Amino acid sequence: MDWDLLFFTCINTGNYHLALKMVRERSKLAFARDENGETALHLLAQNHKPLDSCCQSSEHQDPIMINPGMKQDVVLQLVKFLWTTILCKENSKSEILSLIREPCQLLFDAAEVGNFGFLSELISAYPSLIWEVDKRNHSIIHTAVLNRHASIFNLIHEIGSSKDIIVTYKGKHDNTLLHLAAKLAPPGRLQLVSGAAFQMCLEIVWFEEVKKIMPPSLIKMKNCERLTARELFTREHEELRRNAESWMKSTAESCMLISTVIATGVFSAAITLPGGTKDDTGKANFLGKQSFLVFTISDGIALVSSTTAIFIFLSILISRYAEYDFYKSLPLKLICGLITLFISITSMMIAFGSAFFMTYNYGLKWVPRFISVLACLPILLFIVLQFSLWSDIIYSTYYCKTLFKPGKRMIYVLEQ
């Protein structure tokens, strides 16, 4: 039986339980290579599924513990066993590094796809890997920034004084870590949010987070094209900025149109009261009814909120649309505009329901009640249809910033 072929077939087909059982019985499979010259670790490094690690090691001078609260799955068990076997069998550092560098550097394959759990397992048992660089002189931190993987980038906060050296690495064309953050994200990572405006916001968030860890002397350093990171960011994101401007304008125009229609309707309703007025006194005929009070309040709220929404969306339309307007200003205005628009729609439908209830509350009682309940349908539709837009706003403006400040530390460098 060809054990090597069977072993690699199990890994390629996702049968990790059998692969783990095989390598435990035949440890030499950890060193086996397939027809492409890749070991099992090379294949597992390219796993696109994010993995969380819970391993810890105390065998080295600076042991690193990776989130011990997380449950370890079979893939990480397999990675840990393979790596432990290699470290036990390979005596020299050169042999270990040769195995993980050929035919490709698996550390950077893992960093490119965001395979944080895989990297955690390897670095835990062999902390020196944090100093590895690829052919472009990029560390795994540089690769994480280039490919926008926040979980791996956060390692920079957990490696102590080592980060002060790693962030100074300059890669191809004299690009610093901040220059890499200034480059446009890969399409797959850019499309984590829909809408060019939120993609622009996400890119600015990345640039600002990397800028925080850079030494002041490197922030304005120029690359071989004589461009600072800020200038490179402007050049790389010019098309995205134009698309973001176009998207924001079209969205604001549509919302402003809806707000104007609502304001017109509720203003007309305020003048022509349901049930009319008494000819001699001019008082509303339904003035004493509770439903009339509901109508009056909701109609007034609808008019005020829709008018407010008009001005908010107007301020969006006349904005400068500079790069950093997409960082806080424009998303905040859009959030406020959508909130006031939602309030105006809700108030308008409440006013409609109460007016319908007053006017047609004679004869069949279930008819006005049914219509009043049916008036909730546009409100629910607004929530459902705009949910994706809301989620993109919240993610790009607020949630994505928390990715760089994880509540639970992933790596702990233990002092001896």
Side-chain angles (χ1 to χ4, degrees):
M1 180 183 294
D2 192 339
W3 289 96
D4 290 1
L5 178 61
L6 179 59
F7 178 62
F8 285 113
T9 301
C10 290
I11 293 178
N12 289 324
T13 56
N15 193 346
Y16 301 118
H17 287 278
L18 182 56
L20 180 59
K21 184 177 180 180
M22 290 178 65
V23 76
R24 279 175 175 170
E25 294 179 357
R26 296 172 177 267
S27 59
K28 66 179 183 179
L29 290 174
F31 304 91
R33 295 183 181 269
D34 62 8
E35 64 275 8
N36 297 319
E38 296 181 326
T39 65
L41 281 178
H42 284 86
L43 299 179
L44 293 171
Q46 301 166 24
N47 193 331
H48 289 260
K49 177 184 176 182
L51 300 175
D52 292 315
S53 175
C54 66
C55 73
Q56 65 181 44
S57 172
S58 58
E59 302 173 0
H60 295 269
Q61 183 178 0
D62 293 312
I64 297 177
M65 182 171 58
I66 311 297
N67 200 1
M70 291 188 175
K71 183 179 179 182
Q72 189 176 25
D73 63 20
V74 65
V75 183
L76 289 176
Q77 293 178 33
L78 179 57
V79 171
K80 182 178 181 180
F81 188 86
L82 289 169
W83 186 231
T84 304
T85 302
I86 292 172
L87 293 179
C88 292
K89 294 292 180 66
E90 297 286 355
N91 295 321
S92 68
K93 179 180 178 181
S94 60
E95 290 175 331
I96 295 173
L97 296 179
S98 176
L99 187 140
I100 65 174
R101 288 173 178 172
E102 298 174 1
C104 59
Q105 293 177 291
L106 55 82
L107 285 177
F108 299 95
D109 288 342
E112 186 173 343
V113 300
N115 197 342
F116 174 73
F118 179 90
L119 292 171
S120 300
E121 295 290 346
L122 269 62
I123 297 172
S124 296
Y126 205 86
S128 298
L129 292 180
I130 198 70
W131 299 104
E132 280 289 288
V133 294
D134 62 7
K135 297 178 180 178
R136 298 173 295 180
N137 201 40
H138 289 169
S139 69
I140 59 174
I141 303 299
H142 289 69
T143 305
V145 169
L146 192 59
N147 293 278
R148 304 299 194 266
H149 294 298
S151 59
I152 300 175
F153 170 74
N154 284 333
L155 294 178
I156 198 71
H157 300 294
E158 311 295 338
I159 59 178
S161 58
S162 300
K163 73 176 183 180
D164 297 329
I165 300 176
I166 291 177
V167 297
T168 62
Y169 288 0
K170 290 197 294 183
K172 194 175 181 181
H173 305 305
D174 289 333
N175 285 324
T176 64
L177 186 63
L178 192 58
H179 281 93
L180 299 182
K183 290 181 175 292
L184 189 65
R189 303 300 298 173
L190 198 61
Q191 293 171 4
L192 287 175
V193 293
S194 59
F198 306 125
Q199 292 173 357
M200 188 70 183
C201 178
L202 198 58
E203 287 290 87
I204 296 174
V205 168
W206 262 100
F207 185 81
E208 288 299 312
E209 289 297 327
V210 175
K211 185 178 178 181
K212 290 178 183 178
I213 67 170
M214 296 296 293
S217 60
L218 295 181
I219 292 177
K220 295 186 177 181
M221 181 174 288
K222 297 184 178 182
N223 61 8
C224 64
E225 297 178 288
R226 307 302 299 168
L227 294 174
T228 63
R230 187 71 180 81
E231 293 168 342
L232 180 63
F233 183 91
T234 300
R235 190 185 72 177
E236 287 276 322
H237 293 81
E238 179 57 31
E239 183 178 357
L240 181 61
R241 191 205 61 79
R242 287 198 298 267
N243 293 337
E245 178 181 349
S246 176
W247 183 92
M248 189 66 78
K249 281 184 176 179
S250 62
T251 302
E253 286 173 354
S254 300
C255 293
M256 186 175 176
L257 176 62
I258 297 172
S259 301
T260 304
V261 172
I262 294 174
T264 303
V266 296
F267 180 78
S268 300
I271 296 176
T272 57
L273 297 175
T277 58
K278 296 179 181 180
D279 295 334
D280 53 344
T281 62
K283 292 183 179 180
N285 292 323
F286 294 137
L287 185 60
K289 290 182 175 291
Q290 189 72 27
S291 54
F292 184 80
L293 178 62
V294 174
F295 167 81
T296 305
I297 295 174
S298 58
D299 191 78
I301 293 175
L303 180 59
V304 172
S305 57
S306 59
T307 305
T308 304
I310 291 173
F311 287 118
I312 292 175
F313 291 122
L314 180 61
S315 69
I316 293 177
L317 290 174
I318 61 177
S319 295
R320 299 177 306 155
Y321 293 100
E323 290 171 359
Y324 273 73
D325 286 345
F326 294 96
Y327 185 42
K328 290 182 180 179
S329 175
L330 289 175
L332 182 60
K333 289 179 180 178
L334 185 59
I335 290 174
C336 294
L338 289 174
I339 290 175
T340 52
L341 178 59
F342 174 74
I343 293 174
S344 65
I345 292 174
T346 304
S347 302
M348 179 185 66
M349 298 315 299
I350 293 174
F352 166 76
S354 59
F356 196 91
F357 197 87
M358 284 187 294
T359 307
Y360 300 99
N361 193 24
Y362 303 99
L364 296 175
K365 298 291 185 180
W366 65 270
V367 175
R369 294 174 183 175
F370 174 73
I371 297 298
S372 298
V373 173
L374 199 63
C376 298
L377 182 60
I379 301 174
L380 296 176
L381 279 176
F382 182 86
I383 295 174
V384 172
L385 297 177
Q386 301 300 322
F387 178 78
S388 60
L389 177 61
W390 276 104
S391 61
D392 287 338
I393 294 175
I394 294 172
Y395 179 84
S396 61
T397 310
Y398 298 104
Y399 176 72
C400 70
K401 296 178 183 178
T402 65
L403 296 178
F404 300 97
K405 301 173 184 178
K408 182 183 291 186
R409 294 182 64 187
M410 300 299 292
I411 292 185
Y412 299 83
V413 181
L414 304 181
E415 299 294 339
Q416 296 296 317

